[in-house]
Amino acid sequence: MIEFVHPWAIAGLLFVPIIIWWHKYKGHTLEGSMRISSSKLFSKHFRKRGNKRSITVFVLKIITVSLIIIGIAQPRKIDKLQMTTVDVVDIIMVLDISSSMLAEDFQPNRLEAVKTAAQKFIENRDGDRIGLLVFAGETFIQCPLTTDKDVLVSLLNDVRVAEKEYDGTAIGMAIANATNRLRSSEAKSKVMILLSDGSNNAGELDPTTAADLASQFDIKIYTIGAATDQSLTYIPGVGRMVNEIDEEMLKAIAKTTGGRYFRARDKDMLTGIYQQINDMERTEIEVKSYTRYEELFGWFLIPALLLGIGTETLIRSIFRQQT
């Protein structure tokens, strides 16, 4: 983009066509002249050469004046530069994969409903690093922090309920392991999204103690309890089991870390909860604009100077040379 510091000076170009008109119809009457009895005394070639010289000098003067006017207007090139600073959020998604996640109170079951909602959440996060940790009686890192959403979604789709030998619900150990993944992060915001459908019944660490540890590293934990209000739920291959979700514990974890507890009673509520978390933990983008100016008046004034000197040289030497 090009702008003029003194745009009013451009108005001077309006006088250029006036000067040309005046020179063509009036100016020649004010030039020095010599009366002769007949123009036939001069050869046609001589007259033609004289006209060419006169037109050449006039055109050079017009160009010089036009360049000077544009130079006075001080044109300059503008480059708009933007520097974008993105404060990303590091997020660890902590998913319960104990056998109770096969319960069919969410269609087709709790685990598949959670995976669908978690995938939508991942796809809505641009620029953030997201990791996936799963737990039952033990904790497993499914995917470390990454910005590659395709890889993360693929690994999420591979999540299955834990084998019988690893069954259980070790919430405290899951929080501790996720904290270990986030504690050295330099992100402005560090978030853990913990989803469980049971109560802590395995592991060596109490969930509230683990939450205290997470809070020391400024890690915010959002907890989600996924289960209907029914006292019993059906699990394929197991039969009916009691819903043992420990809401008080999940609320305490969230409160300790400055997070929030959510209760999902069906698949739609689960999707809505992930959306609420998505809205609360937005990536901050700071955009700074800079303007760079490149002065262009030299490209007009220097040629004007050279043309002016060249024109005067032609007038005083070559065009006055005797042949």
Side-chain angles (χ1 to χ4, degrees):
M1 178 180 176
I2 295 177
E3 71 167 15
F4 294 91
V5 178
H6 309 297
W8 52 266
I10 294 295
L13 292 175
L14 297 175
F15 292 97
V16 171
I18 297 175
I19 293 172
I20 295 173
W21 177 87
W22 181 85
H23 179 268
K24 182 177 181 180
Y25 294 102
K26 300 290 183 180
H28 68 278
T29 61
L30 301 178
E31 294 178 352
S33 60
M34 179 179 66
R35 291 181 178 273
I36 57 175
S37 58
S38 175
S39 61
K40 293 181 180 180
L41 295 175
F42 298 97
S43 66
K44 184 177 180 180
H45 172 72
F46 182 82
R47 295 196 306 271
K48 188 175 181 180
R49 186 176 63 178
N51 287 334
K52 284 184 178 180
R53 289 181 174 182
S54 177
I55 293 172
T56 299
V57 170
F58 178 70
V59 169
L60 290 174
K61 287 182 177 181
I62 287 296
I63 294 174
T64 300
V65 170
S66 299
L67 290 173
I68 290 173
I69 291 173
I70 296 174
I72 292 174
Q74 197 174 339
R76 61 184 182 183
K77 184 179 178 181
I78 302 176
D79 287 330
K80 295 288 186 179
L81 304 176
Q82 286 191 337
M83 184 176 72
T84 303
T85 303
V86 180
D87 292 327
V88 300
V89 180
D90 277 355
I91 302 171
I92 291 283
M93 304 181 75
V94 184
L95 301 183
D96 189 341
I97 58 168
S98 58
S99 59
S100 59
M101 290 294 287
L102 289 175
E104 296 180 345
D105 50 352
F106 288 43
Q107 294 299 318
N109 58 51
R110 290 177 185 172
L111 182 59
E112 292 304 317
V114 169
K115 287 164 61 175
T116 300
Q119 180 174 339
K120 291 179 181 178
F121 174 84
I122 292 168
E123 291 172 348
N124 286 331
R125 305 298 299 190
D126 292 324
D128 295 325
R129 295 197 307 167
I130 305 176
L132 177 61
L133 185 146
V134 295
F135 73 96
E138 294 187 15
T139 304
F140 309 92
I141 182 69
Q142 185 77 0
C143 181
L145 289 168
T146 181
T147 57
D148 193 329
K149 293 192 289 187
D150 291 336
V151 169
L152 180 58
V153 169
S154 177
L155 291 172
L156 173 65
N157 290 331
D158 290 338
V159 171
R160 298 291 182 268
V161 168
E163 296 178 7
K164 187 176 181 179
E165 61 202 84
Y166 299 115
D167 204 7
T169 308
I171 295 176
M173 293 303 296
I175 293 174
N177 279 282
T179 298
N180 188 49
R181 294 281 173 174
L182 287 171
R183 64 187 178 89
S184 59
S185 168
E186 296 181 357
K188 186 175 181 180
S189 182
K190 294 176 282 188
V191 173
M192 194 186 305
I193 304 175
L194 171 69
L195 182 142
S196 178
D197 67 344
S199 58
N200 190 71
N201 57 23
E204 301 173 356
L205 188 62
D206 181 73
T208 54
T209 302
D212 285 332
L213 178 64
S215 67
Q216 292 178 25
F217 292 101
D218 297 321
I219 298 171
K220 186 186 301 181
I221 303 178
Y222 292 100
T223 55
I224 304 173
T228 63
D229 290 330
Q230 299 173 5
S231 59
L232 297 175
T233 185
Y234 177 75
I235 300 176
V238 178
R240 292 194 174 276
M241 289 186 63
V242 176
N243 279 328
E244 296 181 342
I245 185 169
D246 190 344
E247 287 195 276
E248 294 305 315
M249 178 198 64
L250 295 176
K251 288 178 181 178
I253 292 171
K255 184 177 180 181
T256 299
T257 60
R260 181 177 168 185
Y261 168 70
F262 299 89
R263 177 65 184 273
R265 293 178 174 84
D266 56 45
K267 187 175 180 179
D268 291 338
M269 287 183 68
L270 186 59
T271 301
I273 288 168
Y274 274 105
Q275 184 58 52
Q276 287 184 62
I277 298 173
N278 181 55
D279 293 338
M280 288 188 289
E281 293 293 336
R282 296 309 304 168
T283 297
E284 294 183 13
I285 301 177
E286 180 182 2
V287 180
K288 294 182 180 179
S289 297
Y290 299 90
T291 303
R292 183 176 64 186
Y293 298 99
E294 180 183 352
E295 300 293 345
L296 303 177
F297 61 86
W299 291 95
F300 297 92
L301 292 182
I302 293 176
L305 175 63
L306 296 177
L307 275 176
I309 294 174
T311 301
E312 287 299 315
T313 301
L314 285 174
I315 293 174
R316 298 178 182 277
S317 58
I318 298 176
F319 285 179
R320 290 192 176 185
Q321 182 179 353
Q322 299 294 324
T323 58

